Amino acid sequence: MDDGTPIELTIDINKETGDAVFDFSGTGPQVLGNVNAPPAVTYSAVIYSLRSLVGQDIPLNEGCLAPIEFKIPKYCLLNPSDDAGVVGGNVLTSQRVVDVVLKAFKACAASQGCMNNLTFGDKKFGYYETIAGGAGAGPNWHGRSGVHTHCTNTRITDPEILERRYPVLLRQFGLRSGSGGDGEFKGGDGVVRERTLGSLIPKSWREGTLYFYVNLV
């Protein structure tokens, strides 16, 4: 995590039965912020990752997790107490769990690491979007640039629609060149999305490894 909290995972697969143990022992303790994630978030991230790795279509239901035993220590980041803040766990920590699972299988490098949510509005309207970023590279391919990855596979509002329906001016939206890093196979570049919004509009955003700008006027 960006604050240094580790997410550790050991996977033990029984080759005879196909069962597996996903052990998150060593994951850091729950935090005072809101990026803690209930176990259901980890279950969802794992089933997403496994369905992505399997070379055939399989149903999306709880039965897919029947061969898997989870070990998630109590009061860690992924199994917090009932009164812990968790609103950011679904949109940020879930993506980090996916990155960890895919890394454990040596499938690909980490992607943007967050759904990168932006919201603004007042009593009359509300706006919500998830912002694209870079996808991680693989053993023999470059990561895609400026895309929504993993659990945030959504589409962003067209600039013309955004500016027509809301008090917003989109000044810049493009790739952040070189942000994907170097290497034989490079990660995808992230994006810069610069807007000017009305000064009386409340704004809020949740982001992890993405850089973007908001001008307040």
Side-chain angles (χ1 to χ4, degrees):
M1 302 292 288
D2 287 350
D3 66 355
T5 301
I7 298 177
E8 295 194 12
L9 172 62
T10 300
I11 302 175
D12 185 13
I13 300 176
N14 188 321
K15 295 182 180 180
E16 295 182 358
T17 64
D19 294 343
V21 176
F22 280 60
D23 188 352
F24 288 89
S25 296
T27 296
Q30 66 182 56
V31 297
L32 294 177
N34 60 16
V35 296
N36 303 289
V41 171
T42 297
Y43 303 155
S44 298
V46 168
I47 194 173
Y48 162 81
S49 301
L50 295 181
R51 292 179 78 244
S52 300
L53 294 171
V54 172
Q56 61 185 11
D57 291 334
I58 58 176
L60 178 58
N61 56 49
E62 190 174 0
C64 296
L65 296 179
I68 299 175
E69 176 186 353
F70 288 89
K71 294 183 179 180
I72 310 176
K74 189 67 175 175
Y75 304 125
C76 78
L77 183 74
L78 305 180
N79 191 7
S81 60
D82 293 340
D83 58 353
V86 296
V87 68
N90 188 51
V91 298
L92 193 156
T93 311
S94 60
Q95 295 281 71
R96 300 302 173 89
V97 174
V98 169
D99 285 337
V100 170
V101 174
L102 295 179
K103 180 179 180 180
F105 284 100
K106 299 181 180 180
C108 65
S111 295
Q112 57 180 299
C114 182
M115 297 185 188
N116 302 309
N117 308 85
L118 171 71
T119 64
F120 60 84
D122 55 21
K123 295 181 179 180
K124 296 180 179 180
F125 76 93
Y127 180 78
Y128 179 104
E129 70 179 21
T130 58
I131 307 167
N140 54 10
W141 71 83
H142 298 290
R144 295 291 299 273
S145 298
V147 295
H148 289 74
T149 59
H150 302 316
C151 311
T152 180
N153 187 21
T154 56
R155 296 181 64 183
I156 202 167
T157 305
D158 293 333
E160 297 81 5
I161 301 298
L162 174 66
E163 294 183 341
R164 180 178 179 180
R165 296 182 179 179
Y166 300 95
V168 176
L169 179 63
L170 183 59
R171 297 189 176 276
Q172 180 185 178
F173 185 34
L175 298 179
R176 186 168 177 261
S177 180
S179 59
D182 295 323
E184 181 179 2
F185 298 104
K186 299 179 180 180
D189 288 338
V191 301
V192 175
R193 188 168 172 85
E194 183 179 357
R195 316 165 188 78
T196 299
L197 303 104
S199 59
L200 298 180
I201 301 174
K203 302 94 179 170
S204 175
W205 57 83
R206 161 66 60 189
E207 55 88 17
T209 55
L210 179 81
Y211 293 87
F212 62 93
Y213 305 91
V214 178
N215 289 339
L216 309 180
V217 299

